[in-house]
Amino acid sequence: MVARPSPAGSREAGFTYVGLVFFVAILGLVGAATLKVDSLLRRAAAEQDLLEIGAEFSEALRSYAAATPRGYPTAPPTLQDLLKDPRFPGTRRHLRKIFVDPVTGKDEWGIVYQGDKIGVLAVYSLSRAQPLKVANFDARFLNFENKEHLSEWKFTATGQGVSVTAPNNVTPPGTPAPLFPAPGMAPAPGAPPAAPPEQPAQPEPEAEPPAEPEEPPAQPEQSEEAEPEPNPPPADPAPVEPPQPVER
């Protein structure tokens, strides 16, 4: 006679299978969340490294400009000139090495040139990823807030993140012309003519007050208690000689 399985045993096996499925699902979600958190932490660390490397580039550009004699271009022709300055007979370095981009993993960098590639003005990452850090930047990094791509973090010599303008007051292509341009720049088409600068009002000369009459010098006051000086005693009269007799 064959023993049949009890209904209670089959129900217990079914609950065990369902619990195992839920456990595997929860374990998968936890693993996926852990991987995502780890990826975000790695990405945040890479962005922090990018900022520090960018600060190194900025300091090298500033050092190169500071060592430039008067009358010569202050921007290096290439990044290699930062490794060994060809303007000096000895070995003079402004940068230790060409760093690897911690985001892309390559030693290739975007460069903002002055004019027709005659000088390096800024260095930036070639990554088009959206940055995780959008606020609370260090004071060294200006205008880095709320950027859409990491390639918009441009590191310059005169202040990291400052927008780079073309030489001779020429507006880069694609940049809208300002309605009120700076002195020396051509006004935008259709912009109202700039009003002439107001002359500062000259202060009216103040009237000099009339001269006060000079007071006579004060006479020294005589003391009331001063005693009059005694008159000198009269001089003794000269003695009169008796008349001499006349001889006949």
Side-chain angles (χ1 to χ4, degrees):
M1 183 175 181
V2 179
R4 298 179 179 178
S6 62
S10 61
R11 286 196 300 269
E12 291 178 358
F15 283 127
T16 303
Y17 178 77
V18 172
L20 182 61
V21 169
F22 275 107
F23 176 75
V24 172
I26 294 174
L27 188 62
L29 292 177
V30 172
T34 303
L35 292 177
K36 185 175 182 180
V37 171
D38 181 70
S39 176
L40 292 177
L41 292 177
R42 291 177 179 270
R43 176 67 177 280
E47 292 185 2
Q48 185 62 33
D49 293 341
L50 176 61
L51 291 175
E52 296 300 328
I53 293 175
E56 292 280 347
F57 279 116
S58 297
E59 179 61 24
L61 293 174
R62 188 204 62 78
S63 176
Y64 184 95
T68 302
R70 180 173 298 180
Y72 289 86
T74 58
T78 62
L79 292 180
Q80 298 298 328
D81 293 288
L82 298 176
L83 299 179
K84 183 178 180 182
D85 197 335
R87 302 172 299 175
F88 299 91
T91 302
R92 183 163 185 176
R93 298 181 182 274
H94 305 282
L95 189 67
R96 295 184 289 109
K97 63 178 181 178
I98 302 298
F99 297 94
V100 175
D101 189 339
V103 180
T104 62
K106 301 178 181 180
D107 58 352
E108 299 177 358
W109 296 88
I111 298 176
V112 177
Y113 287 99
Q114 179 181 6
D116 190 12
K117 294 187 177 182
I118 59 176
V120 178
L121 293 182
V123 181
Y124 60 92
S125 173
L126 294 177
S127 175
R128 299 289 297 174
Q130 185 176 2
L132 299 177
K133 187 177 182 62
V134 294
N136 299 325
F137 286 90
D138 191 78
R140 299 174 296 170
F141 310 107
L142 303 177
N143 301 331
F144 275 27
E145 292 81 3
N146 302 322
K147 298 299 182 182
E148 296 182 359
H149 306 285
L150 289 175
S151 58
E152 298 180 25
W153 290 0
K154 292 182 171 57
F155 305 93
T156 68
T158 57
Q160 293 87 331
V162 178
S163 58
V164 179
T165 56
N168 299 328
N169 294 332
V170 178
T171 305
T175 303
L179 294 179
F180 302 96
M185 296 181 59
E198 298 181 358
Q199 298 293 336
Q202 298 294 337
E204 298 181 358
E206 299 181 358
E208 297 182 356
E212 298 180 358
E214 298 182 357
E215 298 180 357
Q219 298 295 336
E221 297 181 358
Q222 298 181 354
S223 176
E224 296 180 356
E225 298 179 357
E227 298 180 358
E229 297 181 358
N231 295 328
D236 296 338
V240 182
E241 297 180 358
Q244 298 294 332
V246 179
E247 293 182 355
R248 291 184 180 179

